Amino acid sequence: MTLTTRSGDARAERGAPPDRKPRHPGGRGRGRVAEALWGYAFIAPTGIGLAVFHLWPVLQTAYFSLTEWGYFGGHTWTGLDNYARLLADPEVGRALVNTLGYTALGLAGIPLAIVFAALLNQRGLRGAGVYRTLFFLPVVTMPVAVAMAWRWLYNGDYGLINHGLSLVGVDGPHWVADPATALYALAAVGIWSGLGYNLIIFLAGMQAIPREYYEAAEIDGAGRITQFFRVTLPLLSPTAFFVSIISVIGSLQLFDLVYVMAGSGPAARANPAFPRLQTVVQLFYDRAFVTNDRGYAAAIVVMLLLLITAMTAVQFRLQRRWVHYA
C-alpha cells in the first residue's frame, strides 16, 4: 500500500515534480541564527550605551541610597536608614508638594499650546513661519538665560512687570520673594519656555489629520468651532497624551529655573518664599553637593524615580478613557 499526502496528490495532478529534500537540513536554522547575531550586533552599540550610561548609574544610585558617605569620601552600609529619614523629613514633604503643584500648573500649558497651534494651522495665515519661530525661540534658549531674564522681569523694585503695573496704579508684589506668588511665577516661566515645543508637536499632529474629515463635517453643517471640538480634539488626543507624558516627567525634574531664580544653600534660605520654591531635584542637589550627604541625596533621587514611574503608569492607565486612535 502506498501512502500519499494531499499536497503530493495535487502535485501529481498538475504534473509537477515531487518535493525535494533540502541538501542541508540545518541550513535554515543556521541562517536564522546568523540573522539574529547580525541583529544583535547592530543594536549592541545602543544597548551598551544604555547599559553603561543609564542602567548602571541607576543601579549604582540605588546602592548608594543604602549607604552613608563621609566628608572625605568612602561609604558604609546603613540599610534603609536613609529612607526612614525621608519619611520623617518635613523638608522632603514640602519639596514634594511644591514639585507636584508645579507639575499640575505646568499642565495648563497643554490647552494653551493646542489653541495657539490651531490658530497657526489656519489656511492662508500670513507670517506663520515667523510666528512659529518666535514661539520656538524660548525652547532653544539656555534655561539659565531664560531664568536670569525672568528674574529681572520679576524684580519687585525695578522689574519691568511691576513698572508696567505701576503705570495703571497697581503695586506689584515681589514675585519670587512672596510665598503667595512664588510658585505661580515659577510655573508661568515654565509654561512660557515650553509652549513652543508643545506647539510644534500639536501643529504636526493637526496637519496629519486627513482633510476629508473636515470636508465631511462641513457638509454636515459643522462650523469651525464645532470642527475643532468634534474633529480636531478627538483626533489630537494621542498627541496630547504624548505631550502630557513628557510635560509631567520634565516638570517633576525641575531644577535649573529654581536654582537660578531662588538659589541654593544658606543664601537661598534667606528668601521668605524659598519653602514654596524648593523642589525635589533642588533638594537633592542641596543634600548631595552642599551638605555632602550623598547617601541621603541618592535616596531622594530614587524616590523621585519611583514617583515618575508611578505617575507615568497612572497616565498610561487613564489614557484608555480619553485617547482616541483613528
Side-chain angles (χ1 to χ4, degrees):
M1 184 175 62
T2 304
L3 294 177
T4 57
T5 61
R6 183 173 300 175
S7 62
D9 293 337
R11 285 179 176 276
E13 292 175 357
R14 294 195 304 266
D19 292 332
R20 294 180 178 177
K21 294 183 179 179
R23 294 182 179 180
H24 304 287
R28 182 175 297 179
R30 286 197 295 270
R32 289 179 177 176
V33 171
E35 186 178 355
L37 290 177
W38 275 111
Y40 288 127
F42 279 118
I43 66 172
T46 303
I48 293 173
L50 288 174
V52 173
F53 296 109
H54 292 270
L55 182 59
W56 173 245
V58 170
L59 297 176
Q60 201 173 27
T61 302
Y63 168 73
F64 288 155
S65 69
L66 304 173
T67 63
E68 182 179 4
W69 285 65
Y71 287 100
F72 300 101
H75 55 273
T76 55
W77 178 266
T78 58
L80 298 175
D81 290 354
N82 289 326
Y83 292 97
R85 287 177 58 192
L86 275 179
L87 297 176
D89 191 348
E91 203 165 7
V92 172
R94 191 165 56 236
L96 195 58
V97 170
N98 292 339
T99 303
L100 293 176
Y102 175 85
T103 302
L105 292 173
L107 290 177
I110 294 179
L112 280 178
I114 293 176
V115 171
F116 282 116
L119 294 175
L120 290 179
N121 197 36
Q122 298 297 317
R123 286 184 174 181
L125 179 65
R126 292 183 178 180
V130 176
Y131 293 133
R132 294 173 192 173
T133 304
L134 292 176
F135 274 110
F136 201 72
L137 273 179
V139 181
V140 297
T141 306
M142 293 294 293
V144 174
V146 169
M148 291 182 68
W150 277 95
R151 185 176 179 178
W152 171 73
L153 291 172
Y154 279 144
N155 190 283
D157 297 323
Y158 50 83
L160 191 60
I161 295 177
N162 279 2
H163 176 70
L165 292 176
S166 66
L167 297 179
V168 294
V170 177
D171 188 15
H174 291 260
W175 296 95
V176 291
D178 188 340
T181 60
L183 188 61
Y184 298 103
L186 197 68
V189 179
I191 292 173
W192 174 81
S193 59
L195 182 62
Y197 182 76
N198 295 339
L199 184 146
I200 293 299
I201 295 176
F202 282 123
L203 198 56
M206 289 179 183
Q207 292 175 354
I209 298 175
R211 297 299 308 173
E212 290 80 5
Y213 293 158
Y214 293 103
E215 293 171 0
E218 193 172 355
I219 292 173
D220 290 340
R224 292 290 183 88
I225 296 178
T226 304
Q227 291 178 23
F228 177 75
F229 284 101
R230 297 296 180 89
V231 178
T232 303
L233 283 184
L235 294 179
L236 204 61
S237 57
T239 308
F241 172 60
F242 169 74
V243 172
S244 69
I245 291 287
I246 61 174
S247 297
V248 168
I249 293 176
S251 298
L252 291 174
Q253 298 177 359
L254 176 68
F255 171 70
D256 41 17
L257 286 180
V258 178
Y259 183 77
V260 176
M261 297 181 72
S264 180
R269 295 177 187 278
N271 183 351
F274 183 75
R276 292 288 294 157
L277 292 174
Q278 191 175 39
T279 63
V280 174
V281 178
Q282 199 276 341
L283 181 62
F284 155 76
Y285 173 84
D286 190 73
R287 293 294 182 269
F289 302 106
V290 178
T291 62
N292 202 32
D293 194 357
R294 298 186 179 179
Y296 188 57
I300 292 174
V301 83
V302 168
M303 178 198 69
L304 179 62
L305 174 64
L306 296 177
L307 177 64
I308 291 175
T309 304
M311 292 192 69
T312 305
V314 169
Q315 285 180 283
F316 269 91
R317 184 72 178 177
L318 295 179
Q319 60 95 19
R320 300 174 184 175
R321 301 182 179 180
W322 64 276
V323 177
H324 307 279
Y325 295 97

